[in-house]
Amino acid sequence: MSKPRLRLFVPDDLGPERSFILDQNQSHYLAQVMRAEMGEAVAAFNGRDGEWRCAISAMTKRAVTLDVTSQTRQQQDEPDWWLLAAPIKRDRIDLVAEKACELGASALWPVMTQHTVMSRVNTERLAAHLREAAEQCERLTVPRLFDPVPLERALRDWESERVLIYLDETGGQPLAQIVAALPPQSKLAVLVGPEGGFSEAERRWLKDLPMVRVATLGPRILRAETAAIAALAVIGSILQT
Amino acid sequence: MSKPRLRLFVPDDLGPERSFILDQNQSHYLAQVMRAEMGEAVAAFNGRDGEWRCAISAMTKRAVTLDVTSQTRQQQDEPDWWLLAAPIKRDRIDLVAEKACELGASALWPVMTQHTVMSRVNTERLAAHLREAAEQCERLTVPRLFDPVPLERALRDWESERVLIYLDETGGQPLAQIVAALPPQSKLAVLVGPEGGFSEAERRWLKDLPMVRVATLGPRILRAETAAIAALAVIGSILQT
């Protein structure tokens, strides 16, 4: 049985003998964009029940019905790494969302810092990017998207066991060293600033917080989105070994 | 003295008392796009003489003359990490070029593999991306761009001391482990396949080559460009510590 060419994240429960109707967007995508055929196999996941093979059992332009056939993967524990990122320009933050999903982040949290230029975050578009990336990279979950808040509010009431790795472009401990000293199942968050970096006041405040580790990615100057992607790559490579 | 807002890679020698004329493209960029002013400071580097502060001493629409003022950074040794990458779609390979430059790669080498779909590489556009990324990320060099060749030809006459880290999506040793065992000044190359991965024949052949280390970036399925960026991030973070 070959792998379905279509893979969708759905809100519905997935299990033997179940059927469900895709929403208008997904129905349109299958029927009109991908020109799916009756009976065609579709992989579906919901973040809870693993991945299931389904078959198209009814199809109009607006509503595609899937019958669940069989489970292809079981739900698994996934790493609990958040990315806290100051909003940056549209194409760059879209890239961050896509790559954060591929690299295993469990959540994306836009945080407003003093040098953040972008005042609005299109959370709907970001959520769509996260979902599409998860569909394409074969994840069994879609990273959560938290509501944009000022950085200070995000760090208030912080779970004490979640280490916050703060990437400081003025220097810190090499990220690889920090990560290598953490237990494999650690709850983590990475904090990346906007293009203008953090303010002096933010820097002083961050360094004093008990859950913070001040990290550097090396001597090169990285764009904000590169730093975010690089940090998640390093964490993934070291903690998964 | 504030940092110049303009930074250019130039072919000319840079040193005290020197003057030079920018080519038509760069002249147009300064005079028309950036609306530079007479006397304005411009940072210039050529990959050999460090970085120099210059001043605009003459300007027409077609030709901008720079007078070299003073050295702002000395040339330094940089890491010798190549990225061998099978060509992928336009926006994705442009992204790889930009990020490879930021993450410190010394060369980008497009290599054709059996599953490579893109038959042509626009090397002029790629070279421009590498140069612009170097200008923006404050590097003192522009990564070299080698002519696209079939993978087999690239690996023929390979320098014996250059380790080739081959990212195999079917598994291998964790990349972080491989890199942690290398001396900090190692000559390296990373090989990333196209979206379709490597063929069975390529895989068998690669694994038998003496300079090859077979690496994995973890359990997640990464797009080709994500794998390239992630690998360079991991190498940089570990070897620079």
Side-chain angles (χ1 to χ4, degrees):
Chain A
M1 222 162 39
S2 68
K3 224 176 183 173
R5 67 182 175 121
L6 304 161
R7 187 168 188 273
L8 295 178
F9 175 77
V10 298
D12 310 82
D13 288 334
L14 295 168
E17 314 276 322
R18 285 186 175 272
S19 289
F20 57 96
I21 298 174
L22 295 174
D23 69 22
Q24 267 201 34
N25 283 339
Q26 290 185 322
S27 294
H28 172 81
Y29 172 73
L30 253 63
Q32 305 291 108
V33 182
M34 299 302 292
R35 306 221 166 253
E37 293 176 9
M38 276 291 292
E40 182 167 347
V42 177
F45 66 108
N46 59 12
R48 307 181 300 273
D49 302 322
E51 187 190 68
W52 293 74
R53 194 181 176 92
C54 308
I56 297 176
S57 59
M59 182 160 53
T60 69
K61 281 184 187 179
R62 291 193 185 180
V64 170
T65 305
L66 295 184
D67 288 355
V68 178
T69 317
S70 57
Q71 190 169 34
T72 44
R73 286 164 68 197
Q74 298 225 318
Q75 198 69 31
Q76 297 172 324
D77 282 343
E78 292 186 347
D80 188 358
W81 308 327
W82 295 357
L83 174 63
L84 274 65
I88 47 177
K89 275 194 220 147
R90 178 184 168 132
D91 56 335
R92 302 274 161 179
I93 198 167
D94 288 353
L95 181 74
V96 167
E98 178 185 305
K99 297 311 172 207
C101 180
E102 276 182 71
L103 292 165
S106 57
L108 173 60
W109 199 352
V111 291
M112 305 299 175
T113 67
Q114 291 183 2
H115 293 172
T116 299
V117 178
M118 310 298 288
S119 57
R120 240 190 98 262
V121 182
N122 186 333
T123 49
E124 217 169 295
R125 201 189 67 231
L126 271 190
H129 274 286
L130 291 171
R131 197 184 60 238
E132 283 161 26
E135 289 171 347
Q136 282 182 26
C137 79
E138 314 260 322
R139 272 179 70 136
L140 291 173
T141 56
V142 175
R144 293 162 68 193
L145 178 64
F146 297 139
D147 285 335
V149 292
L151 176 60
E152 280 193 44
R153 193 163 338 139
L155 302 195
R156 209 185 289 161
D157 308 319
W158 191 261
E159 312 164 76
S160 59
E161 73 273 34
R162 185 178 299 274
V163 171
L164 177 65
I165 297 175
Y166 148 54
L167 293 176
D168 187 331
E169 65 273 29
T170 66
Q173 197 186 349
L175 175 62
Q177 277 181 18
I178 293 175
V179 178
L182 295 172
Q185 304 298 325
S186 294
K187 285 186 179 185
L188 284 185
V190 179
L191 169 62
V192 183
E195 291 297 347
F198 292 96
S199 72
E200 263 308 301
E202 284 171 334
R203 241 182 225 122
R204 275 194 307 271
W205 168 67
L206 282 165
K207 285 182 182 174
D208 277 347
L209 294 176
M211 71 289 202
V212 164
R213 306 281 184 285
V214 185
T216 175
L217 274 165
R220 280 169 298 280
I221 293 158
L222 302 180
R223 297 179 70 130
E225 81 277 6
T226 315
I229 297 166
L232 289 171
V234 171
I235 290 167
S237 181
I238 293 175
L239 289 190
Q240 301 274 310
T241 62
Chain B
M1 222 161 42
S2 67
K3 225 175 184 176
R5 67 181 176 121
L6 304 161
R7 189 169 186 271
L8 295 178
F9 175 77
V10 298
D12 310 82
D13 288 333
L14 295 169
E17 315 276 323
R18 285 186 176 274
S19 289
F20 57 96
I21 298 173
L22 296 173
D23 69 21
Q24 267 201 34
N25 283 339
Q26 290 185 322
S27 295
H28 172 81
Y29 172 73
L30 254 62
Q32 305 293 106
V33 181
M34 299 302 291
R35 306 219 168 255
E37 293 177 8
M38 277 292 292
E40 182 167 346
V42 177
F45 66 108
N46 59 12
R48 308 182 299 275
D49 301 322
E51 185 190 70
W52 293 75
R53 194 179 176 92
C54 307
I56 298 176
S57 60
M59 182 160 54
T60 69
K61 281 186 187 178
R62 290 195 185 178
V64 170
T65 305
L66 295 184
D67 288 355
V68 178
T69 317
S70 57
Q71 191 168 33
T72 43
R73 285 165 69 197
Q74 298 226 318
Q75 197 69 33
Q76 298 171 323
D77 282 344
E78 292 184 349
D80 189 357
W81 308 328
W82 295 358
L83 174 63
L84 275 64
I88 48 177
K89 274 194 219 149
R90 177 183 170 136
D91 55 335
R92 302 274 161 181
I93 197 166
D94 289 353
L95 182 74
V96 167
E98 178 184 304
K99 298 309 173 208
C101 179
E102 276 183 72
L103 292 165
S106 57
L108 174 60
W109 199 351
V111 292
M112 305 299 176
T113 66
Q114 291 181 4
H115 293 172
T116 299
V117 177
M118 310 297 288
S119 57
R120 241 189 99 262
V121 182
N122 186 333
T123 49
E124 218 168 294
R125 201 189 67 230
L126 270 191
H129 274 286
L130 291 172
R131 196 184 59 239
E132 283 161 26
E135 289 171 347
Q136 283 182 25
C137 79
E138 314 261 320
R139 269 180 73 138
L140 291 172
T141 56
V142 175
R144 293 161 69 193
L145 177 64
F146 297 139
D147 286 333
V149 293
L151 176 60
E152 280 194 44
R153 194 167 333 142
L155 303 194
R156 208 184 291 158
D157 308 320
W158 191 260
E159 311 164 77
S160 59
E161 72 273 33
R162 186 178 299 274
V163 171
L164 177 65
I165 297 175
Y166 147 55
L167 293 176
D168 187 332
E169 67 274 27
T170 66
Q173 197 184 350
L175 176 61
Q177 276 181 18
I178 293 176
V179 178
L182 294 172
Q185 303 299 323
S186 294
K187 286 187 180 186
L188 285 185
V190 178
L191 170 61
V192 183
E195 291 297 345
F198 292 97
S199 72
E200 263 307 303
E202 284 172 333
R203 244 185 222 121
R204 275 196 306 272
W205 169 68
L206 282 165
K207 286 182 180 173
D208 278 347
L209 294 175
M211 70 290 203
V212 164
R213 305 281 182 286
V214 185
T216 175
L217 275 165
R220 281 170 297 280
I221 293 157
L222 302 179
R223 298 179 68 131
E225 81 277 7
T226 315
I229 297 166
L232 289 170
V234 171
I235 291 167
S237 181
I238 293 175
L239 289 189
Q240 302 272 313
T241 61

